[in-house]
């Protein structure tokens, strides 16, 4: 069966500066998207005249208006993965699918985010600030969760984290190691929002937000836009940078993973997981490789325990053993067996709903990363543990 | 009752499938929908049985005893309206005899430190306003 394998490549990446929540004003989110798209095209050595597709996720934005503003000659593909941040890495797979199917040639995957009027930190609150766009509308399903006070993703993932602790003996020390390792990477990276080193003492002195998750287990709340350009492998070879070939991409999940943290009915077998297990299996099968072949892992880190669960679901360690695995230094750069979030992740660099992870994968494969994994050949990128779909991407150089 | 949200932030929006649950809740009865065709329970109530896709449902009364499957202690006010209610213990409770159905609600009138995964609980009811009642849980001394 024909697959996406090695048929396309990421050829350009671009971003606005990363801002703390609200500090991107008076730019609009769509203006930032335009800036990121132009930067990514320029990075590839392409122009708007080459662009013919958009592949979005997490409710996206109005591509009609952006195409109108930029004067895109012919929009041949504009589509979006359903769901939320789970689709980040998969938006590149969507671009690859468009190209392989012949619907488009140069497709941009974009995220733009501005949390001035409203915050993802209150996504499921019953009423947001005036003008807020992220507060969840009432729903018959939400009635079974929201009256308990669970109205923030971090509170909800704390319930999964607690179950993981109970079932496998994971501790806050393990969450702490994720936070500290990720911050150590961010300290060396220009443009990261959190460049001060973080200590174990600071971690354990931080206020508890939703027990067992403290302040440093939570990602940042940011503004900014990130875009990446994907095109055919043949065309990629003539462009400015060494191509980052799309080895494989997959998205979805078990139906009974479903709405995940907004219903809590997932089967016990994978309740305390990232929801990624079936996606990981399909991903590796398409690529024809296994976790031992991955040189650097850019794992969606909205909350530190979810990095642990993805290490398990992507096979870097057995299910239930991610705590001791990180305690042994395995995710550290340099020197760990699988360096994780070498850019500082959502936790310490910036939270642009996971697209920064795609950028870092490309930089690692070009050999230009700030925290370069020596000789990196294969990079794994994941989208957020979230409701269906979750997604992933394998790139190689 | 200590450890629940203020009434102004609880506004239910039942539909035809969930309305029987809330009507029973207002009478302080816990009912769980069971597929008439294959006997599989499901929560929240939904239009299809996830096991056999039948739409036929019967409502089975449940004693409301269960165990805490997982929980979090909410200590930070995401919106100002919840500040005075903190800390809140939000728990996922497994209902025995339902094939693993779970109910989400606050563990009330307790020291958060006393709450643990596996702890037995009973269901109680928080009368939010006339016609609106939501389930809550109390730790049960075994």
């Amino acid at each position: 069966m024909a697959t996406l394998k090695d048929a396309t490549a990421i050829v350009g990446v671009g971003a606005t500066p990363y801002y703390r929540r609200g500090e991107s004003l008076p730019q609009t989110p769509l203006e930032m998207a335009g800036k990121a798209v132009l930067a990514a095209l320029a990075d590839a050595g392409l122009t708007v005249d080459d662009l013919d597709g958009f592949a979005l996720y997490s409710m996206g934005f109005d591509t009609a208006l952006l195409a109108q503003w930029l004067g895109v000659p012919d929009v041949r593909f504009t589509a979006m993965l359903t769901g939320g941040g789970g689709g980040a890495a998969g938006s590149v797979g969507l671009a690859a699918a468009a190209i392989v199917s012949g619907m488009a040639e140069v497709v941009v995957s974009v995220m733009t985010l501005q949390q001035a009027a409203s915050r993802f930190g209150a996504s499921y609150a019953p009423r947001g600030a005036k003008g807020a766009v992220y507060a969840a509308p009432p729903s018959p399903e939400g009635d079974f969760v929201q009256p308990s006070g669970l109205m923030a993703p971090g509170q909800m993932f704390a319930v999964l984290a607690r179950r993981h602790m109970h079932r496998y003996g994971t501790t806050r020390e393990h969450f702490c190691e994720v936070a500290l390792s990720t911050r150590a990477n961010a300290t060396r990276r220009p443009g990261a929002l959190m460049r001060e080193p973080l200590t174990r003492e600071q971690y354990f002195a931080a206020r508890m937000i939703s027990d067992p998750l403290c302040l440093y287990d939570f990602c940042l709340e940011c503004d900014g836009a990130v875009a990446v350009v994907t095109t055919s492998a043949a065309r990629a070879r003539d462009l400015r940078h060494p191509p980052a070939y799309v080895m494989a991409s997959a998205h979805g999940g078990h139906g009974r993973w479903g709405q995940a943290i907004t219903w809590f009915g997932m089967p016990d077998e994978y309740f305390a997981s990232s929801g990624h297990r079936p996606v990981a299996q399909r991903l590796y099968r398409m690529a024809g490789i296994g976790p031992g072949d991955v040189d650097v892992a850019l794992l969606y880190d909205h909350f530190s325990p979810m990095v642990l669960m993805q290490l398990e679901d992507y096979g870097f360690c057995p299910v239930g053993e991610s705590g001791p695995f990180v305690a042994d230094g395995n995710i550290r750069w340099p020197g760990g067996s699988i360096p994780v979030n070498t850019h500082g992740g959502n936790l310490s660099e910036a939270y642009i709903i996971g697209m920064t992870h795609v950028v870092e994968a490309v930089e690692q494969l070009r050999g230009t990363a700030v925290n370069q994994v020596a000789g990196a050949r294969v990079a794994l990128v994941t989208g957020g543990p979230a409701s269906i779909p979750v997604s992933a991407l394998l790139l190689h150089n | 009752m200590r450890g629940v949200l203020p009434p102004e932030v609880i506004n239910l929006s039942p539909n035809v499938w969930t309305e029987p649950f809330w009507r029973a809740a207002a009478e302080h009865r816990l009912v769980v929908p069971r597929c008439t065709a294959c006997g599989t329970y499901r929560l929240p109530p939904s239009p299809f049985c996830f096991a056999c896709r039948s739409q036929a449902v019967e409502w089975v009364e449940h004693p409301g005893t269960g165990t805490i499957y997982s929980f979090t202690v909410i200590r930070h006010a995401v919106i100002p309206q919840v500040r005075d209610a903190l800390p809140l213990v939000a728990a996922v409770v497994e209902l025995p005899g339902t094939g693993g159905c779970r109910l989400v609600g606050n563990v009330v009138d307790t020291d958060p430190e006393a709450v643990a995964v596996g702890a037995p609980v009973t269901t109680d009811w928080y009368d939010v306003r006339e016609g609106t009642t939501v389930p809550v849980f109390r730790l049960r001394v075994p």
Side-chain angles (χ1 to χ4, degrees), chain A residues 119 121-123 125-128 138-141 143-152 154-156 158-164 166-167 207-213 256 263-269 271-272, chain B residues 4-5 8-15 18 21-22 41-47 50 68-79 81-82 88-92 94 100 102-106 113 117-118 134:
Chain A
R119 315 172 58 168
S123 297
R127 64 189 73 163
S139 75
E141 291 74 31
D143 289 351
F144 284 81
V145 173
Q146 183 267 326
S148 70
L150 292 173
M151 53 184 73
Q155 298 167 343
M156 295 164 163
V159 174
L160 271 60
R162 171 90 61 191
R163 185 70 192 173
H164 199 274
H166 171 81
R167 183 163 178 158
R207 62 199 163 92
M208 197 58 88
I209 303 294
S210 195
D211 196 334
L213 303 191
R256 294 293 286 170
W263 79 299
F264 297 111
M266 306 84 92
D268 183 58
E269 176 195 352
F271 182 96
Chain B
V4 293
L5 288 179
E8 66 264 28
V9 293
I10 300 179
N11 291 288
L12 302 180
S13 54
N15 64 10
T18 66
F21 178 94
W22 297 112
Y41 289 87
R42 60 187 193 262
L43 273 180
S46 55
F50 66 88
I68 294 180
Y69 182 78
S70 192
F71 69 101
T72 183
V73 184
I74 299 169
R75 298 187 183 276
H76 172 79
V78 169
I79 55 173
Q81 297 96 314
V82 308
L88 281 169
V89 181
V92 177
E94 203 149 67
R102 304 188 192 118
L103 201 54
V104 182
N106 295 125
E113 303 303 321
V117 175
V134 300

Side-chain angles (χ1 to χ4, degrees), chain A residues 18 185-195 220 343-344 348-350:
Chain A
Y18 304 138
N185 294 336
T187 59
R188 291 179 289 268
R189 191 165 165 87
L193 291 177
M194 306 298 275
R195 299 190 61 196
L220 308 172
H343 57 324
S348 284
E349 186 200 35

Side-chain angles (χ1 to χ4, degrees), chain A residues 24-394:
Chain A
S24 64
L25 292 169
Q27 300 167 95
T28 66
L30 198 62
E31 178 185 351
M32 290 195 289
K35 289 178 178 180
V37 169
L38 292 173
L41 287 167
D43 181 57
L46 296 169
T47 73
V48 169
D49 288 340
D50 299 296
L51 176 65
D52 60 4
F54 295 91
L56 307 182
Y57 67 101
S58 198
M59 297 175 282
F61 57 81
D62 182 10
T63 58
L65 185 52
L66 187 62
Q68 175 185 316
W69 281 357
L70 296 180
V72 178
D74 191 11
V75 176
R76 299 170 64 203
F77 184 84
T78 176
M80 181 163 64
L81 290 184
T82 52
S91 70
V92 177
L94 182 62
I99 294 160
V100 169
S101 69
M103 295 184 79
E105 278 186 33
V106 176
V107 181
V108 67
S109 302
V110 198
M111 174 48 63
T112 185
L113 178 62
Q114 186 172 69
Q115 302 193 74
S118 55
R119 315 172 58 168
F120 278 143
S123 297
Y124 304 101
R127 64 189 73 163
K130 194 173 185 317
V133 292
Y134 299 128
S139 75
E141 291 74 31
D143 289 351
F144 284 81
V145 173
Q146 183 267 326
S148 70
L150 292 173
M151 53 184 73
Q155 298 167 343
M156 295 164 163
F157 280 108
V159 174
L160 271 60
R162 171 90 61 191
R163 185 70 192 173
H164 199 274
M165 295 168 89
H166 171 81
R167 183 163 178 158
Y168 303 116
T170 311
T171 68
R172 290 191 62 213
E173 289 283 356
H174 302 137
F175 305 163
C176 174
E177 166 59 13
V178 173
L180 265 52
S181 170
T182 310
R183 177 63 63 86
N185 294 336
T187 59
R188 291 179 289 268
R189 191 165 165 87
L193 291 177
M194 306 298 275
R195 299 190 61 196
E196 293 294 313
L198 179 67
T199 67
R200 183 181 172 283
E201 290 66 35
Q202 287 170 315
Y203 176 91
F204 279 99
R207 62 199 163 92
M208 197 58 88
I209 303 294
S210 195
D211 196 334
L213 303 191
C214 75
L215 180 67
Y216 294 114
D217 295 312
F218 280 65
C219 70
L220 308 172
E221 288 183 291
C222 301
D223 296 358
V226 176
V228 308
V229 176
T230 304
T231 192
S232 67
R235 192 161 175 181
R237 284 188 271 274
D238 298 329
L239 296 176
R240 281 183 62 204
H241 295 287
Y245 293 100
V246 176
M247 286 182 97
S249 184
H251 71 259
H254 291 306
R256 294 293 286 170
W257 176 258
Q259 294 184 302
I261 57 157
T262 60
W263 79 299
F264 297 111
M266 306 84 92
D268 183 58
E269 176 195 352
Y270 51 78
F271 182 96
S273 83
S274 67
H276 277 261
R277 275 175 218 168
V279 168
Q281 286 166 16
R282 272 189 280 125
L283 183 82
Y284 287 133
R285 201 179 311 128
M286 182 186 289
I289 65 167
D293 300 306
V294 178
D295 298 307
V296 58
L298 295 314
L299 305 180
Y300 195 102
D301 54 333
H302 40 10
F303 306 104
S304 59
M306 303 318 294
V307 172
L308 300 179
M309 296 182 213
Q310 288 176 87
L311 288 167
E312 298 173 2
D313 292 346
Y314 281 90
F316 296 110
C317 63
V319 169
E321 295 181 19
S322 56
F325 182 77
V326 300
D328 287 345
N330 280 298
I331 64 170
R332 287 276 177 167
W333 180 92
S337 65
I338 179 67
V340 169
N341 295 345
T342 41
H343 57 324
N346 292 327
L347 290 170
S348 284
E349 186 200 35
Y351 170 77
I352 313 293
I353 320 190
M355 284 303 281
T356 55
H357 295 60
V358 181
V359 171
E360 174 68 5
V362 171
E363 291 184 2
Q364 287 286 348
L365 296 175
R366 288 178 181 176
T368 58
V370 171
N371 299 315
Q372 181 67 43
V373 173
R377 298 297 313 275
V378 177
L380 168 68
V381 190
T382 67
S387 57
I388 292 175
V390 299
S391 71
L393 174 68
L394 276 170

Side-chain angles (χ1 to χ4, degrees), chain B residues 5-6 8 14 22 28 43 45 48 52 54-55 57 64 72 75 90 95 99 101 111 115 120 124 138:
Chain B
L5 288 179
E8 66 264 28
W22 297 112
H28 292 195
L43 273 180
F48 302 96
C52 79
S54 167
Q55 291 200 267
V57 145
T72 183
R75 298 187 183 276
L95 300 173
C101 278
D111 171 6
V115 179
D124 198 355
R138 291 183 185 281

